[in-house]
Amino acid sequence: MEWFRNLPEMDLMRSEKMTSVQLIIPVESAHRAVSYLGELGLLQFRDLNDDKSPFQRTFVNQVKRCAEMSRKLRFLKDQIHKAGLLASDLPALKPDVDLEALEVQLVEHEHELTEMNANSEKLQQTYNELLEFKMVLQKAGGFLVSGKSYETAEGTELDENVYPSDYPDSVSLLEQATQSGPSNTSGLRFISGIIAKSKVLLFERMLFRATRGNLLFNQAPADDLIMDHISSEMVEKTIFVVFFSGEQAKTKILKICEAFGANCYPVPEDLTKQAQITQEVMLRLSELETTLDVGIRHRNVALHSIGVHLTTWINMVKRENAVFDTLNMLNFDVTKKCLVGEGWCPIFAKPQIQEALQRATFDSSSQVGIIFHTMDPVESPPTYFRTNTFTNAYQEIVDAYGVAKYQEANPAVYTVITFPFLFAVMFGDWGHGICLLLGALVLIARERKLSSQKLGSFMEMLFGGRYALLLMSLFSIYCGLIYNEFFSVPYHIFGKSAYKCRDASCGDAYTVGLIKYRDAYPFGVDPSWRGSRSELPFLNSLKMKMSILFGVAQMNLGIMLSYFNSIFFNNSLDIRYQFVPQMIFLNSLFGYLSLLIIIKWCTGSQADLYHVMIYMFLSPFDDLGENELFWGQRPLQILLLLSALVAVPWMLFPKPFILRKLHAERFQGRTYGVLRSSEIDLDSEPGSARHHEEEFNFSEVFVHQMIHSIEFVLGSVSNTASYLRLWALSLAHSELSTVFYEKVLLLAWGYENILIRIVGLVVFAFATAFILLMMETLSAFLHALRLHWVEFQNKFYGGDGYKFKPFSFAALADDED
Amino acid sequence: MGFILTTLHFFVIGIIASFCTRICCNKGPSANLFHFTLVITATVCCWMMWAIVYLAQMNPLIVPILSEGE
């Protein structure tokens, strides 16, 4: 036992020893100290200003400034992205630009960019308008020419003829127009413009209704697409010319044009003037194009120069933001010259933290050093496990269920091996195992490349679990060799089968079966079983018993871990009134069942174990008859039954009463303690919590103990049965594998046609890859996980701790992504 | 006899694997204990698997009855 106690502590078994620390930092070195601590990443700060709102905190202005800067940086990043430039992925250079200078620079850049953007917006709009004008000139010119000839013809007729009263409207309009004598030569006026093609029909109808039909509407589609600056898309537009007369009609038409977003451009009637204006417009268009180009190039140059530094700047601002957030967690002390902070750090990290703080004092040329000392913890410390890339995946699996309480046994130590092993029991096929191994090796070989890339969530999970996958595949190959299944085909790797025909003719083989003439097959399941009619009864019996044996073994391991926990926390109460009755109960029932299984296998007896177990409870004093496996079985069974019955009240009753007695004793001594602590504690730290009086609620403790005991007693039956999923899933895997092999591959291979053979091979490959390799892997993974989380861990695991989250710049980078 | 011999084999393989792990990655006593635990757990699991399957076939109650297709 002495040797046992003198063993060094195992690496991952219990959380690193944490200590509560207090920092007193003079204001001038505060920022630097927190930055260096962030780089180190080994101190978790406690938020001393929990009750304050974000606006009541000390450094709220700096936080606001950082937020503003990161907004500007986001804006710049957007602009770079929109301009289609790639942000350069240069490695972050040591930031030698300080924060204020960066702020000023950012303000400048943002201002510059917004100006450039506004200018190019305006230019673009002008460009669009000119483009539209050009198109209107081109098309509308055509209408006007024909219209003019039309109206001059009408005009001459007017002069000569007298009209009857029921002449069509358009003529009387013309008459009206000539009588009123407008500035236009004919009194017929027009509006030309351009409108989106989708709205033309509605527009025309609206105009028709508004002018009561007194108009002429001509339209022609534009040749090119035009950029609609509201939606930034290229739309098709139609050029229209509306002929009308009268002032009221004009206002109505203009209003309708505005409502529909149609742009009106004045087109002169004179042909020469048209040509002149068209030329001017073309000239201006080409000028604008060059101007726009120059503008865009200028902007791209500016963006490029920003883009080079952008990642560095973003990181810097993120860090500063984090530093100020952390500084906000600290408190000013009474003299207002120091900041006081509290936190947690692992004991091994204390020298490193001291060194970082000394560096900070030196670098900020402060006269006063930073005080760093341990404090008595007021609450339970966070849990910290130092994992490497291999153990990280398993620790995360355990943490997903619940983070270990401080210094309780970590199930991850055993999960590293038992989880892949139970997976393999359900997955056992060495052909599939080799496929998984190849996949795992590929992931591990490309580790460096894949870890720097950004992967999708599924690939990320797969990559994170690559070492778990490696172990899973290795154990699968082992279990596959034991089950003797290579894509469901057995091989005679380990020697000849133990079975042969009874006589040379093998006539009996199909009725009575083979006979065992040698020792059992040395490694694994005998290959003669595959394909036989009695294969399933044999394998089912084997696998069910195997599941029970593994289950009892793992549950015993769990209870042993609870024993080690009790020893570590010096809780002898738990050992005597929880560990011992639990061991007795579990092993007198299910440990005994495992023993019976092994004896039955060794002796080859025909006893029916179901009967043995059931009648052990129902009629323990009866004679066993042919179910007797060994001498003295009946008295042993009675003894075990009695121990199990005694164990139940043993784990239920004593503990609450003893706890009450202990609490009463402690409480009597407490009354003197209250008088002692009434002297004022001069060094009381502001904001740190104090112990509060614990009440002992007997009924609560008793109910808790009752629940715990009932859970254990009933759970022992259900958990043992739960392990039968090991049998169920391995059976399912084996059956699926057999079906695909026999009904797909062999069937296709039976035909002589090469095409059918290839199709069969392809279907077999796809079915194996998707159903067996992917679905079954996930399924076995899930069930192995459940067995660990529930059946193994509920024997000893508390899992109500919290994880150690140090203030670290490295973690920031991960967080954002 | 075959059972005990092969159990001995597993035991020896376990010891050799522990030594190999100690030689290859010797990272201090607590890490060594951790590696040792892993190796022993793996050995015990593998041995249990083999032993169960071997014991089940030592004195079988049923024999393979070939089906018609053979």
Side-chain angles (χ1 to χ4, degrees), chain A residues 474-486:
Chain A
L474 288 175
F475 277 116
S476 300
I477 295 180
Y478 178 78
C479 282
L481 287 172
I482 295 234
Y483 289 152
N484 216 340
E485 288 192 12
F486 178 78

Side-chain angles (χ1 to χ4, degrees), chain A residues 8-11 413 421 478 482-483 499 509-510 513-514 516 522-524 526 529 531-534 542 601-602 604, chain B residues 10 30 33-34 37-38 42 45-46 49-50 52-67 70:
Chain A
E9 279 197 11
M10 190 154 41
D11 216 2
V413 166
F421 181 70
Y478 178 78
I482 295 234
Y483 289 152
Y499 294 92
Y510 299 89
L514 304 174
K516 181 166 181 288
F523 190 86
D526 199 305
W529 285 105
S532 66
R533 271 192 285 148
S534 53
L542 165 68
W601 276 342
C602 289
Chain B
F10 270 97
S30 60
L33 191 57
F34 177 57
T37 307
L38 291 184
C45 286
C46 292
M49 184 81 190
W50 168 81
I52 288 171
V53 171
Y54 188 83
L55 284 177
Q57 293 184 103
M58 265 190 358
N59 300 307
L61 294 173
I62 52 178
V63 285
I65 303 176
L66 301 179
S67 62
E70 299 273 329

Side-chain angles (χ1 to χ4, degrees), chain A residues 660 696-705:
Chain A
R660 184 168 73 163
F696 187 77
N697 195 344
F698 179 72
S699 54
E700 200 179 302
V701 172
F702 187 75
V703 167
H704 178 86
Q705 190 64 26

Side-chain angles (χ1 to χ4, degrees), chain A residues 65-110:
Chain A
R65 278 165 66 189
C66 284
E68 184 59 29
M69 274 198 275
S70 60
R71 184 197 62 81
K72 291 201 181 73
L73 283 168
R74 268 199 306 269
F75 168 71
L76 290 174
K77 192 166 179 192
D78 258 341
Q79 289 293 312
I80 294 183
H81 188 73
K82 254 198 261 181
L85 296 171
L86 294 166
S88 63
D89 278 329
L90 285 175
L93 310 154
K94 206 67 185 137
D96 48 358
V97 186
D98 97 290
L99 206 64
E100 272 90 36
L102 181 61
E103 207 174 356
V104 167
Q105 257 190 329
L106 281 179
V107 168
E108 266 177 37
H109 282 304
E110 191 192 13

Side-chain angles (χ1 to χ4, degrees), chain A residues 124-274:
Chain A
Q124 187 72 28
Q125 216 171 330
T126 324
Y127 181 77
N128 276 344
E129 281 175 12
L130 277 179
L131 204 61
E132 288 178 352
F133 194 14
K134 177 184 96 173
M135 289 190 204
V136 169
L137 279 173
Q138 282 171 350
K139 289 291 161 78
F143 296 148
L144 288 174
V145 166
S146 58
K148 205 147 188 289
S149 59
Y150 175 70
E151 78 191 23
T152 40
E154 284 293 314
T156 45
E157 279 185 40
L158 267 174
D159 288 334
E160 288 170 1
N161 304 337
V162 180
Y163 295 100
S165 52
D166 53 5
Y167 222 93
D169 274 355
S170 56
V171 182
S172 53
L173 203 64
L174 283 168
E175 197 178 50
Q176 195 183 33
T178 47
Q179 280 171 7
S180 54
S183 46
N184 274 353
T185 45
S186 57
L188 186 67
R189 297 184 336 192
F190 66 93
I191 289 185
S192 55
I194 190 166
I195 187 174
K197 186 164 169 199
S198 49
K199 300 189 193 164
V200 160
L201 217 54
L202 220 58
F203 182 58
E204 188 178 352
R205 225 173 282 163
M206 194 70 164
L207 283 174
F208 197 77
R209 261 188 249 138
T211 54
R212 284 188 218 125
N214 293 343
L215 87 166
L216 186 63
F217 186 86
N218 259 334
Q219 57 169 313
D223 288 330
D224 301 313
L225 298 174
I226 296 193
M227 168 85 89
D228 180 14
H229 74 273
I230 305 171
S231 61
S232 312
E233 278 179 351
M234 304 296 266
V235 289
E236 281 189 12
K237 295 222 172 179
T238 313
I239 296 143
F240 64 90
V241 175
V242 180
F243 292 96
F244 64 95
S245 83
E247 209 43 52
Q248 276 187 344
K250 180 175 180 190
T251 30
K252 277 193 215 162
I253 293 176
L254 281 177
K255 273 207 201 127
I256 295 173
C257 281
E258 212 179 294
F260 274 82
N263 301 325
C264 298
Y265 300 100
V267 175
E269 293 175 29
D270 201 13
L271 267 173
T272 41
K273 263 210 222 157
Q274 271 180 30

